[in-house]
Structure formats: structure tokens, C-alpha cells
Amino acid sequence: MGRQLWRNLGGTDFKKAGNIKSLISINEFNYGAVLFDYNNDHQADIATEPRGGCAHVLKNLGGRQFLEVGNDPTIVDVQPCNALDETNVAWDADGDGNLDVFFPTYPPSLGSTGNWFLQNLGPVGTGGEYVFHEASAAAGLDNPANVNRPEGAGIDDADYDGDSDLYSNGTLYRNVSVPGTPLFEPMTEVGTGIIHSNILDEGAGYFDYDSDGDQDLCVAFCDGNLGVRMFEALGDGTYILTKKSIFDSYNTGLCLGLSFDDWDNDGDIDVTTSEVFRRNQYVETGLRHFTVATHSINANEITDATPAWGDFDLDGDLDSALGNWASNGHMYENILYDANTPNDQRRYVRVKPVRDSANFDEGLETEFGAIVKVRALGNADDGLVRRKICAPSNGYLNQGEYTVHLALPADPDPNDPAVDLDFEITVDFKGASNAGYLRVDRHVNPVLGDIRLATLTNREISVYRSGRVRIDGADYIPAASPLPLTTTTGGLIAPGVNSAIPLPVVAPSTDWFVGTEISTVLASAPQRVEEVILDGQLDLAVTCGSDTGNLFVWDVTVPATPFLVSNGVVDAVTRIRNDRTYIPVDFTLAPNRVYRIVARVTQLRATPIAGPVVDGVLTTNGGLSFTDTTPCSGANVAGATVDAGNVYLAIRFRDEPTSAWADLGNGLAGVSGVPALVGNGSLVGGSNVSLDLTLGAPNAPIFWVLGTSTNSFSFAGGVLVPTFDLIVNGLSTDGAGSASLSGAWPSGVPGGFTLYAQTLVVDAAAPHGLSFSNAIAGTTPY
């Protein structure tokens, strides 16, 4: 309402900035807004709307000056006017690399115009101007009949197919876009299970309230009987309304405002509706329950409050920009941590998904919809899934911080400040689903597989769509281009627009297995499998020799002699409240083989196919459903009948990286430039492996630094990437500045093990007498 932009002064203060106030009439009744870089110039633009006037698209000119372009028909072909709009949402709806914007708008029956959707056509205008085309009807994003008016809105990949779907006006709009052509299917209550679509909400959004790995939908109904409620995701694009008792005082703080984030930094997501703050108790008790939190905020400052959450002072806890319907807004600082809190007690990490840019090395903050997952490793792994969306809207009339904030478990060794938990990061970037499922993880860039909290100076880690990673100012280059994951049979059964998905059924008997048969006859290279998608419920694991599992990968190329694939026995868990589960795995399928991937289940659901189905280089011959009382022999697996009409699970896969060695950068030049280190040889037991250095100072002492993890230690003007597990000295470069370290790779090293290496060369031309080679990482094959 104040038409003001506030500039953050390094986390210490805020100052009014920009010329926005002069661009928007003082007589307008201003409402929601979204900040988004629509023209990919590394500057946040703004889309906002008054109630009943015309929407504004404010182009950032730099220097905190903006230009109104929403009223320029050469840039916005149809300006949204005479509209009653609510929670704006911006995201790349069609996967073409440009941010579109959706204005949830009351329908004509309420004196308004219906929803607006500005499709970003990219730089096709005069002088390379980015141009918007109003395409709500063509994209299927109009207000459906028989639903209430839109208030809250949010995005999530609800069906896990690689694109971001939209929720607004009681409706899940399923994304079926292809690049350049946005298209959505407005799903019905029958299709999704999201009921009460005719009841007004005053805020809605996606978050994982029970830490089970899927994004649930929270809706604040403007109805005292329904109240604030949770639609729990079942993993298959459908939802079920949970009980009122999940929320204490479920029917207070209604009819304006919903926000959510982990403002107590304990690892689960908390919820506010208007002036009522509710604390999630899942981490504390293991129960799906929210209690009302006490606070000392002045009652006049939270009348129908709309808080937005972000760490504006960068101290590790989430502060709030607290909107206030009846009076002025305020900034509230979270004092969970203060200047006296030791770093090891600040339990958080920040992950910023960014799009690579040829013009801006830092990348573009345009990856709305990306899903960030952080998992603690070793003894620190508490079993909770820490997963959040990089969201353009967070409930109702508020937008949180772009960078994703995730709380971490307690320090496993609080008495030793040099030791803390290790964790890994996975980012699923979104685009059009027909382009595949783009995941950047430790397989793409090994540095994401083992990050040591104790060594981080800056808790913010940037992950690029290309697989590049920036940690503590140092760049790490991916081991291979992040090829999208392909999903066999296009995934599993989905609900229809107006038809329910079948429920899983109880297995016919005990010791029941279901699965799929996969042929790699079309593959010319090994295929890495990273995820198994299963419908139903897993049974207890069985022990086969030294392995225990309920998911098995068998090579049945020769049916008489089946054998288990390396890493092909997985002890997985399904949640009883989920009908579909996404199981992380790590195994390789070799070319010209036949595999059967099977799971021991108590419940199952078939997906009809017309087999065989070819997906890339893998062929799904059909499904398997059979009893097996001797599952460790493989005989019953190999002998089971293939059903070409049904499958029971699917896998996500991509090419195995062609090279085991990744260049992680971070060299420091000397007399001959930056010393170049490369790894040669396959990291297979008994194979000859060499580390070869060139461009070092001639005839100079050299130090080889080898580690099993990353340290990124600042030293002598450079960055030492590996941990100091082994330092080899006493060697020198030759007269050409070259050196090698070689030997046979040991046997018995498990797949996925990564060795990091870097060299230091005594060099008078370097800033502190030492030049640094680039760091490299070699990973053993699976």
C-alpha cells in the first residue's frame, strides 16, 4: 500500500529506494506483488496490481530506478485491467528459460475479469525487449466453473514429472507445457482429492509439513468449520484432507493471510494465519501437530498479518517483513541467534539455485520451482527429509527470500569445534516435463556429495543448472554435463482430469514381489540409475548373505544364472500415508543385458502399458508380480512371467559419466600460468591410475595433496580443495614443469567413492611463493 521499495543495507538496516512511488497513483488501492527477473538482466523487476485498476509491470533499469512497461502494448500486448487480483506468481511455466507471471483474479461473476497469465515470449521486441503475451485462456489457466475466487496461489511439481504445477482458486492446474507453449489441465476434486474448491481460501501454498519428502498443500479456508487445513500429498499427484486436530485453534486467524517457513529453525515448517503463529511439533514429537506459539508482538502490528520470511541480517535465523492490514508494516528481527552465538550452534545452510548466464558470472535468480534437498550424512542423519521449493509466493500476498534456508541437525560432536556434520545437496531444476527430469547432485558434481559444515566460512552455496557449484567463493566444475534423467514408461499411472487414480491393493500373499524387466540392448554405454519409483508399500527387508534389502536388481541375461548387480540390494522405507514412493538408488545397468528390478511389497498398484516401451536407450519389456519364498537365489525372479500390459515400478536413469575425473578449478598462477592437473585411468581395482601435472615451475619442489572430501581451505593466496588426508612431498617437477604420481588403483573400493587431488608448486612468481594446480576429483564407477 505504501508503494515503497526498501533496500537492504548489508543486513544492518533498510532504506527507502527507487522511484516506484512516482510510477503508481496514490489513489490506487495496491495489493499483491512479485519480484522476478523477467528479462534475464540480473535485476529484479516487479509485477504488481491495484484492486480494480490496471496491473503494473515495472522494469528495473538499474540504480534502483524502474520503468512502467505494463501499459506499453509493444511489451505487454494486453494489460490486465479492471481486475481484483491476489497472490501473484512468477515462474518459467513452459520451460523456455523466461519467467512468466500469473495474476490470480476474481471471475466476472464477482465484477472482475478472471485470471490473467502473461506468457514471456523472450527478447523478440524492438531492440531486444522482452515481450509478454496474455494467454490465460489458451494456456488453460482461466477460472474453472464452480470454484471460489482465487486468493492464495503457489507452485510445486505435484506429479514429480519435472515441471511446476500451479494451485489457485481451489484448483490444481497440471502442467503439460512444452517449451514455448504453456498449457495446463485444470484438475477437478475427483482427480486430485483437493476438495472444498467452492469454499473461499485466504492463502495456500506447498511445503513438506511431515518431512516425508513430498510437498503437502496447506489451505487457510475462510470458513470457521474448515479452518486452516493440510492436504497431505500421497506422492502420485493426489491429496487427502487431514483432520482438523493437526492444528491447534484450527479456526482462529482466518480470512486473511497464510505464511509458512521454519522460523524456529528446528527442521520442520511452521505456519501462520493472520495473527496466529503455529509451531510444527513433528521434529520434537514425531507427531503431525501444530501448537499455537506465544509472542510479544504488539496487537496493533498484526491485524490480519501477512508475514514474509527471510534471513535479512544473515545470522542464520529467519526474520520477518510483517505486513499489517489495518496499519503500518514492520520488520521483525528473529533473535534465535545473536552476535554471541558460536558458528557451530547456528544450525542451517542456505542453497541458491541459479541459472547460468553468459553475461553474469554469478548466474540468474530465475529458478523458481527448483526443489532443494539436504541430507545429513553418517551418524548425523536423523532420517528427516529436508526439502524445500525455491518459491515465488509463500501463502498469501507474500514472497519469501529467493535463497532456500534449511535447518540442520545438531552438531554430532559439540565439544570439538573442528568437527561437525557432513551433508549432501541435491537440486531438482524444473522445466518442461518432456525435456526430462534435471537433477544436479553428487553424480553430476562430486563436491555436492560431502560438504563439511565445520569448514564453511559462508553458509550460502550456489548450485547452477549446468552443474557448476560455488562454495566459499570457489567454483567447482561438474564431472559431466547434467543430462536430464529419463523415466521409464513415462512414469507411473496418473489421475485423470476428472477421474480418480486407483488405490493400491493388498498383495495376494506373503513374500510377494513386483517389478519390471528392463533391456539395455539399445544402449552403447552404461546407464546410471538414480531413483526407483514404486506404487504400493514395501514389506520388511530380507537378508541375502551380507546384504539386507527389500529392493533387488538382478541381471537375468542368462536366466539359469541370475546374479545381483553391485549396489543392487536396497533396504528402503515407504510411508504408510504415501501411495507412491521415490527411492534414491545408485546402480549401473551395462549395455546389452536384461535386468529385473523387483521389490518385496505388502501393497501394489499396476500401471497399464503397451509393452515393450522404449525410453531413450532402455526398453521396458513389461512388469512382474509373483511370490518368492527364496528371494536370495534369484531363481523365482528369473522364472517369473513378464506381463507386457502392466508395470509396478519405474526408474529414472541417465548416461554414466564418460569420464571418472572432474576438474574442480581453483588454480593459482605461477611463472608458467596456472599449473594443470589431470587424472588418467579408470578407478577400477587393479587399473593403472596417474595424476599428471603440467605448467608448473621448472625443477621445483612439489606437494601432492590427496583427500577423501573437500575442505576449501584458504592458504597462501589460493584455495586448497581436498582435505589433508595424505600429503606427498619430496618430489619435484622436471625441466618442463611436469610431474606425475601413478600406481595401481586398490581393489575393494566401493562405487561412488571420490578421491580429491591438488598440487602445490614452489614458485617465486606466485603471490606467496606457491602456485596451485586446479583441483580434480575422481569417482569410482558403480
Side-chain angles (χ1 to χ4, degrees), residues 423-425 440-451 467 469 471 476-480 657 659-664 708-710 752-756 776-779:
F423 60 93
E424 67 176 10
I425 293 174
V440 175
D441 57 8
R442 60 189 177 90
H443 302 304
V444 172
N445 196 320
V447 75
L448 292 176
D450 189 6
I451 301 171
V469 175
I471 301 176
Y476 299 86
I477 309 303
S659 171
W661 296 97
D663 180 354
L664 303 182
T708 59
S709 186
T710 58
F753 170 84
T754 301
L755 173 71
Y756 299 87
I776 60 175
T779 302

Side-chain angles (χ1 to χ4, degrees), residues 35 41 76 130 138 190-191 209 216 285 349 380 396-397 434 439 442 475 482 488 494 496 509 642 658 691 731 752 768:
L35 282 77
D41 66 353
V76 179
Y130 280 65
V190 175
Y209 88 103
D216 308 295
T285 66
V349 67
Y396 177 77
L397 297 184
N434 69 342
R439 173 171 293 162
R442 60 189 177 90
D475 281 338
T488 56
S509 68
V642 175
T658 56
L691 307 178
L731 302 176
H768 295 277

